[in-house]
């Protein structure tokens, strides 16, 4: 009986571990790049593109349409605010970056995505800078919320201090993390992302918004949340193990 009990206990621990990460977008694998890296550095794609915001003048944009540098993916930003690089944002220490909050009247902005031929986008990456409480990233597919990436999730990846803290371009703002985060959808895709700042007076700064269709993932891996079908297989597997354990018990008792 002991081997069966140990296996079932391990299965229970897996379930608890997955539930603890429930805020992470379901069905995604989330990875981060090395400290100081401000773009995806190791994945491969069928096609991808990057929006740097550097062709925009700082200001408010009710609507901004981009092809991410000429990719086959079109993105439409709504209620976008763009600022010039400073201690809080701006990949490479120059150009412009996107922000939500900071009292600019855009506590959130959205990015709607469409690929040529209707192929759903399954990768998004961005340089998250100067993390604040209330920085929420939401993924949607046809109006259905797939999941939310929160400040707690970020801290779980980078810790509460260390090489991710402080702006790598100028050494300023050492109390807040700066990290490039990758989101790889394992099955299907998504068509909208919302950057939301829920803490009044704070900002959600980001840059180098990258979209694409991944073929090989990169970055430091963080386990994603299983799809519903995967959950079903896990539960069925645990049930089979339990049935075998019960049968084993009866055989031992009969002996």
């Amino acid at each position: 009986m002991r081997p069966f009990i140990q296996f079932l206990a391990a299965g229970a621990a897996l379930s608890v571990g997955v539930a603890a990460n429930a805020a992470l977008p379901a069905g995604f694998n989330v990875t981060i790049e090395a400290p100081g890296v401000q773009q995806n550095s190791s994945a491969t794609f069928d096609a991808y593109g990057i929006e740097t915001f550097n062709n925009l003048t700082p200001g408010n944009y009710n609507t901004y349409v981009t092809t991410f540098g000429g990719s086959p993916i079109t993105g439409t930003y709504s209620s976008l605010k763009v600022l010039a690089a400073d201690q809080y944002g701006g990949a490479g220490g120059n150009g412009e970056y996107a922000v939500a909050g900071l009292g600019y009247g855009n506590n959130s902005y959205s990015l709607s995505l469409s690929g040529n031929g209707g192929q759903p986008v399954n990768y998004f990456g961005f340089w998250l800078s100067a993390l604040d409480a209330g920085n929420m990233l939401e993924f949607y597919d046809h109006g259905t919320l797939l999941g939310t990436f929160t400040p707690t999730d970020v801290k779980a990846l980078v810790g509460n201090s260390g090489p991710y803290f402080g702006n790598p371009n100028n050494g300023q703002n050492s109390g807040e993390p700066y990290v490039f985060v990758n989101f790889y959808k394992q099955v299907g895709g998504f068509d909208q992302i919302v950057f939301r700042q829920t803490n009044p007076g704070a900002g959600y700064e980001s840059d180098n918004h990258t979209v694409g269709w991944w073929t090989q993932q990169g970055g430091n891996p963080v386990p994603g949340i299983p799809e519903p079908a995967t959950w079903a297989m896990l539960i069925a597997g645990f049930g089979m193990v339990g049935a075998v354990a019960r049968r084993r018990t009866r055989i031992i008792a009969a002996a």
Side-chain angles (χ1 to χ4, degrees), residues 147-173:
T148 303
F149 190 67
T150 72
T152 300
D153 297 323
V154 178
K155 289 293 186 72
L157 304 182
V158 304
N160 293 312
S161 63
Y164 285 101
F165 280 71
N167 190 324
N169 300 308
N170 52 36
Q172 295 179 306
N173 202 31

Side-chain angles (χ1 to χ4, degrees), residues 45-71:
F45 300 89
D46 281 333
Y48 77 100
I50 304 174
E51 175 55 59
T52 65
F53 306 103
N54 292 343
N55 64 325
L56 298 178
T57 301
N60 295 304
Y61 294 82
N62 290 330
T63 302
Y64 169 60
V65 179
T66 176
T67 58
F68 301 93
S71 80

Side-chain angles (χ1 to χ4, degrees), residues 100-103 107 131-136 151 196-204:
L102 292 178
N107 290 328
L131 176 74
D132 288 318
N135 286 179
M136 305 291 181
R196 193 180 306 279
Q197 173 51 258
T198 62
N199 187 24
Y204 196 162

Side-chain angles (χ1 to χ4, degrees), residues 56-62 79-84 96-99 104 106:
L56 298 178
T57 301
N60 295 304
Y61 294 82
N62 290 330
S79 301
L80 177 67
K81 175 71 178 182
V82 174
L83 297 178
E96 282 70 40
Y97 66 92
V99 64
Y104 290 115
N106 70 327

